[in-house]
Structures are given as C-alpha cells and as structure tokens.
C-alpha cells in the first residue's frame, strides 16, 4: 500500500469535498433506516454497493458510513457471536427471528471486510488510507465486543483472524522493499556511506561484502518463513535465481523452500525450476527423483501458461546431457508429442524442433520416428500417458505418430516443421532461442509477409462452363 501524501492526510472531522459530502448525506439517511428498524436491513446492500463505485468520492463516503454502521452493530450486539454458520444453513435452521437477523447481518459484515481489504489495493492513496483506518476501527471494536465466545477463565480475546487479513497487503509492501535492494557485486562498490567512516576501515563490518550478504540472507529467510499468497509466492520465485540466490552467503539454506515449492505443482513448480537449477548447477544439489517430478509437470496446461518459454528453456538444459538413459529421453519425447495434439500453433513451433533435438542427441531413440507400420490409434498405442514414472510408461515401444498427424495441421509452418521427420535428421540441432517467445500475433504478422510462389496457369483459355471448348456442356450452353 502506497504511503499517503501530506495533502491526503485528514481526520474524520475535517471538512469533506462537496462530491463526498453529497454522497455522505445520502448514505447517512440509509444508515438511519438500517439502525432505526430491522425491517430495513436490506438497505445494507445499497450501502455496500458504494464500496464498488467508480467515483472516489462515493467510495470514501460508503467506507466511512459502513464503518459507522458495523461499529454500532457490534456495540449493540446485533451481530452473531460464535462459529458463524453458512448463510443458507443459518437462515433455514430452527433459530429465532432475532438470531437469524444476527446471522444475516454478520455475513454482511464479512462482505464489508472483504471489500475493504480489496480497497487497500486501490489506485487512490486516500481510498487505501480510509479503508485501512476503517478496518482498524473494526479490530478495536471487536476487541471490546468480541464475535467469539469466551473460553473458560478467558477474559481477553483479540480479533487476530481479522488482523491476519491485512497481512497480504503488508507482505506485498515488504516484498517491494526487499526486491528493490541492490546488492553490490564486489567490496570496491561499498564506498557510498551516509555516516563518517571509522579510522579502522578494514575492521568495519559495514565495509564488508560478507556482512552485507549475511544480513541480506537473514532478511529474506525471515520474510519467507511467513505464509505467502499464491501471487506473491510466484513473484518471489520469478526473481529468486537472479536477484536473491547469487547474493546469499549460504544459498543452500533455500533448498527446503524450493523443494516445497517444486512439490506444489502447476505454475509454481515451473517457477521453482529456476532456483533448483541454480542450486544443482552451482552448489551440487542432489534432488531424488528429479526427472520423475519433471516428467509429471508435462501436463496439458504447461503449454498454455505464460511461463511456457521459461519452462521449455530449462527442460532443454536438464535434458542436454548425452548420458541420460534412452527410456527417459523417449518418455519426454513421447509425452511432448502427445501434448502437441492439443497445443496452439505457437507452442507447436517450439515443441517439434525440441523433440527433434532430443532425438539428435540420443540416436538410440530414432526408432520412435521410424516405425511407419505402427497403428496410429490411441487405443493400440502401447504408451501409457497416465503413468507418472517415465521408466514404466513404455515410450520406447511406441512411435511418434503424433508428429505425422501434425503434417496435416492447418498452419503451414507447423505442417512443414512436422515433416522434418520424413527424412534423415541432420546432426545440427535446431536453434530454439528464436522460437521460445513466439506469440500468436507474430504468427499472423508473419504470414502476409511471405513471398508468393509462382503458380502454373491454364495455358488454354476456358470457353465452356465446366471445361474446355467442345466439351459436352458447350453443346447446350455457350459463353457470350
């Protein structure tokens, strides 16, 4: 959340701008209706609707009014206390009309909290500030009139669950601060200090790169101990291999974090590959069943996510060794071939050369493209797509008939790329760098720029409707 500027700082008692004052007056009427008679409870929806308005003045007025409403309801005891049942369940259960009202109004209170948490990410600094202040008023009021039942011999109950809802916002701010830290690459860069340097400069910790790295490491480890939102988790993994690990004094301390992320699956696993590759390559990390897990990441979604190019680049690095067993290379080649049947054209232009490169590196896998008599049918293919262990998927017994099927693809570039397997593969690997970031728009822009080939024309002009002159049709019809 951005810090509010000086001109945005004002208390609740300060004069309000005219648009906000007008909106506030209308909302105050609704506030009196709700607080004056429970029969007007549905007016709360009109008040909550203001939190989603487009005009900043309406949002500010609605935020302040909702704050007054629910603080008053908390003080009155008009919100359900205890484990809140589901709304439909609570309203259909055998409760009194008063309890049902409190259950219903407690759900409206929760909706208000959720909307205020969203407003803490609003583009307006003032909206962020007012939303935060309102939420903190709820924390203070719940502290005096709790919504949880007292335990035995317990006199103080702090609304910790409500306060936890603010943490993702603060975590985002902390991440913004940490990710902006520029770590020097050499001690010679440590010259620009804001205090007078000591006489014994060599013994000064602030002048030691090792001390900077140690503190940098402690900051990130302390931050990553907390539970992060999925979005923030991804942001950390994106910069981890370039901006964090190289500047840590002991990068291996991140092994547990990366392995846990790698086990999650989906896009988070793909992003964790960067950090794992750094530790494997630079710090000799041994990861049991690494290729088995890597193989399991090849699912239909992997070729549709925005991290596709990054993943294929790393996959190419992991499969670059010529010492990998043939069954493993065959398994990856076959799985990619099967996934290509449902992939977009821009992904196919990466996958097909990728598979051909794998076979170039491992000639023992060439039988996969030289089994023309194999049945091109899913039901007779010995390959087991659902098998997670590449050693048991029977890829070596199969063929890459999917690439033959792609030779009839609607996109000419895909069809031409798939036709590469019809002739002997050259020893020179295809360069994938220019294909990894290929987009749909680039594919469409590329087509009109192609030069047309000359097409043989009919040497004898047509004189009949369907064929040449003197055909049967010309006996009854003629061109005038």
């Amino acid at each position: 959340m951005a810090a509010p500027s000086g001109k945005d700082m004002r208390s609740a008692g300060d004069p309000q701008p005219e648009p906000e004052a007008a909106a506030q007056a209308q909302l105050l009427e609704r506030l009196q209706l709700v607080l004056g008679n429970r029969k007007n409870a549905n007016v709360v929806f009109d008040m909550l609707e203001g939190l989603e308005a487009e005009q900043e003045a309406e949002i500010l007025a609605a935020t302040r009014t909702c704050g007054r409403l629910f603080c008053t309801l908390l003080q009155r005891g008009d919100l359900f206390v205890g484990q809140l049942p589901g709304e439909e369940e609570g309203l259909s259960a055998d409760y009194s009309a008063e309890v049902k009202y409190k259950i219903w109004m407690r759900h409206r209170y929760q909706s208000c909290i959720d909307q205020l948490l969203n407003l803490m990410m609003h583009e307006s600094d003032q909206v962020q500030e007012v939303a935060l202040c309102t939420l903190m008023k709820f924390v203070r009021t719940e502290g005096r009139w709790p919504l949880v039942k007292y335990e035995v011999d317990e006199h103080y109950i702090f609304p910790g669950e409500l306060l936890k809802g603010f943490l993702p916002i603060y975590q985002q701010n902390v991440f913004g601060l940490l990710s902006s830290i520029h770590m020097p690459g050499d001690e010679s860069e440590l010259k620009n200090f804001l205090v007078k340097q000591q006489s014994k400069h060599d013994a000064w910790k602030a002048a030691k790169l090792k001390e900077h790295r140690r503190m940098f490491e402690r900051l990130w480890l302390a931050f990553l101990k907390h539970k992060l939102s999925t979005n923030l988790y991804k942001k950390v993994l994106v910069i981890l291999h370039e901006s964090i690990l190289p500047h840590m004094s002991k990068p291996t301390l991140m092994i547990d974090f990366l392995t846990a992320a790698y086990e999650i699956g989906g896009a988070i696993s793909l992003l964790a590959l960067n950090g794992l590759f750094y530790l494997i390559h630079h710090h000799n990390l041994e990861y049991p069943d690494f290729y088995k897990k890597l193989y399991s990441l090849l699912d239909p979604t992997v070729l549709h996510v925005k991290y596709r190019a990054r993943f294929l680049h790393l996959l190419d690095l992991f499969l670059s060794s010529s010492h990998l067993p043939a069954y493993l290379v065959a398994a990856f080649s076959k799985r990619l071939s099967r996934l290509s049947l449902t992939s977009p054209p821009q992904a196919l232009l990466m996958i097909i050369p990728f598979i051909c490169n794998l076979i170039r590196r491992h000639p023992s896998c060439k039988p996969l493209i030289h089994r023309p008599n194999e049945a091109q049918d899913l039901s007779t293919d010995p390959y087991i797509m659902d098998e997670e262990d590449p050693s048991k998927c029977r890829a070596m017994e199969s063929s890459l008939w999917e690439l033959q099927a792609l030779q009839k693809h609607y996109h000419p570039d895909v069809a031409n790329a798939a036709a590469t397997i019809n002739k002997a593969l050259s020893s020179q690997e295809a360069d994938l760098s220019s294909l990894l970031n290929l987009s749909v728009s680039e594919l469409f822009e590329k087509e009109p720029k192609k030069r047309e080939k000359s097409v043989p024309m009919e040497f004898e002009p047509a004189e009949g409707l369907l064929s040449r002159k003197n055909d049967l049709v010309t006996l009854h019809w003629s061109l005038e």
Side-chain angles (χ1 to χ4, degrees), residues 460-479:
E460 184 178 350
E463 297 184 10
L465 287 178
L466 302 179
S467 184
R468 298 169 177 74
K469 63 180 180 178
N470 299 326
D471 59 11
L472 293 178
V473 179
T474 58
L475 296 176
H476 306 282
W477 303 85
S478 62
L479 296 175

Side-chain angles (χ1 to χ4, degrees), residues 71-199:
C71 284
T72 303
L73 292 175
L74 281 164
Q75 294 173 27
R76 287 183 177 182
D78 281 350
L79 299 183
F80 182 82
V81 176
Q83 183 64 39
L84 182 65
E87 188 167 1
E88 293 184 6
E89 174 191 350
L91 297 181
S92 61
D94 188 20
Y95 292 121
S96 66
E98 181 177 359
V99 173
K100 288 183 178 180
Y101 169 82
K102 292 182 177 181
I103 291 174
W104 184 88
M105 193 59 79
R106 172 85 178 272
H107 279 283
R108 305 290 76 76
Y109 174 57
Q110 188 58 52
S111 298
C112 178
I113 290 173
D114 294 339
Q115 289 174 287
L116 291 177
L117 288 172
N118 289 332
L119 289 178
M120 287 180 66
M121 300 297 291
H122 196 273
E123 59 184 8
S124 167
D125 293 347
Q126 190 175 353
V127 170
Q128 293 178 20
E129 177 194 351
V130 174
L132 175 60
C133 291
T134 304
L135 286 166
M136 291 306 298
K137 288 178 182 177
F138 289 164
V139 171
R140 181 183 62 189
T141 310
E142 276 195 43
R144 297 183 63 185
W145 292 276
L147 291 177
V148 294
K149 292 182 178 179
Y150 284 98
E151 303 293 338
V152 179
D153 297 330
E154 191 73 35
H155 300 288
Y156 302 99
I157 299 180
F158 184 78
E161 291 301 317
L162 175 57
L163 192 61
K164 285 180 182 178
F166 306 177
L167 289 178
I169 312 298
Y170 294 118
Q171 286 178 336
Q172 184 72 35
N173 292 344
V174 173
F175 172 77
L177 288 173
L178 291 179
S179 59
S180 63
I181 295 176
H182 171 70
M183 282 294 293
D186 190 82
E187 285 191 1
S188 60
E189 299 180 35
L190 299 174
K191 296 178 179 178
N192 187 22
F193 297 104
L194 300 180
V195 296
K196 184 178 180 180
Q197 300 179 21
Q198 297 178 354
S199 56

Side-chain angles (χ1 to χ4, degrees), residues 101-359:
Y101 169 82
K102 292 182 177 181
I103 291 174
W104 184 88
M105 193 59 79
R106 172 85 178 272
H107 279 283
R108 305 290 76 76
Y109 174 57
Q110 188 58 52
S111 298
C112 178
I113 290 173
D114 294 339
Q115 289 174 287
L116 291 177
L117 288 172
N118 289 332
L119 289 178
M120 287 180 66
M121 300 297 291
H122 196 273
E123 59 184 8
S124 167
D125 293 347
Q126 190 175 353
V127 170
Q128 293 178 20
E129 177 194 351
V130 174
L132 175 60
C133 291
T134 304
L135 286 166
M136 291 306 298
K137 288 178 182 177
F138 289 164
V139 171
R140 181 183 62 189
T141 310
E142 276 195 43
R144 297 183 63 185
W145 292 276
L147 291 177
V148 294
K149 292 182 178 179
Y150 284 98
E151 303 293 338
V152 179
D153 297 330
E154 191 73 35
H155 300 288
Y156 302 99
I157 299 180
F158 184 78
E161 291 301 317
L162 175 57
L163 192 61
K164 285 180 182 178
F166 306 177
L167 289 178
I169 312 298
Y170 294 118
Q171 286 178 336
Q172 184 72 35
N173 292 344
V174 173
F175 172 77
L177 288 173
L178 291 179
S179 59
S180 63
I181 295 176
H182 171 70
M183 282 294 293
D186 190 82
E187 285 191 1
S188 60
E189 299 180 35
L190 299 174
K191 296 178 179 178
N192 187 22
F193 297 104
L194 300 180
V195 296
K196 184 178 180 180
Q197 300 179 21
Q198 297 178 354
S199 56
K200 297 182 178 179
H201 183 75
D202 295 337
W204 195 25
K205 286 186 177 181
K208 299 293 183 181
L209 181 59
K210 180 177 68 174
E211 294 296 328
H212 281 254
R213 288 188 171 183
R214 189 173 63 86
M215 186 57 64
F216 180 81
E217 178 180 277
R218 288 177 59 188
L219 284 171
W220 276 107
L221 290 176
F223 175 69
L224 295 177
K225 285 180 181 178
H226 298 278
K227 184 179 180 181
L228 306 179
S229 65
T230 302
N231 185 47
L232 193 54
Y233 210 29
K234 292 178 181 179
K235 288 183 177 181
V236 171
L237 291 171
V238 165
I239 67 170
L240 188 66
H241 65 293
E242 290 182 343
S243 304
I244 302 176
L245 290 176
H247 303 296
M248 295 179 68
S249 58
K250 295 181 180 178
T252 51
L253 293 175
M254 296 295 291
I255 289 177
D256 291 340
F257 174 80
L258 283 168
T259 52
Y262 192 49
E263 294 294 330
I264 290 176
I268 289 181
S269 290
L270 300 185
L271 294 174
L273 277 175
N274 279 303
L276 283 174
F277 176 74
Y278 179 89
L279 294 180
I280 290 172
H281 185 68
H282 295 281
H283 298 276
N284 300 318
L285 170 66
E286 292 186 6
Y287 188 94
D289 297 327
F290 176 80
Y291 284 99
K292 182 178 177 180
K293 176 62 180 178
L294 186 64
Y295 180 74
S296 69
L297 293 180
L298 291 175
D299 58 36
T301 63
V302 75
L303 299 176
H304 295 268
V305 296
K306 64 179 180 179
Y307 306 112
R308 174 184 59 210
R310 182 195 300 262
F311 172 68
L312 288 175
H313 170 69
L314 290 173
L315 186 62
D316 187 44
L317 289 175
F318 289 132
L319 297 176
S320 61
S321 173
S322 58
H323 300 291
L324 295 175
Y327 79 84
L328 187 66
V329 177
F332 277 92
S333 300
K334 179 62 181 178
R335 190 145 187 157
L336 285 170
S337 297
R338 182 62 58 84
L339 293 176
S340 67
L341 296 177
T342 56
S343 299
Q346 66 273 21
L348 292 175
L349 293 177
M350 293 184 263
I351 295 172
I352 296 172
F354 187 97
I355 296 172
C356 291
N357 282 352
L358 288 180
I359 295 175

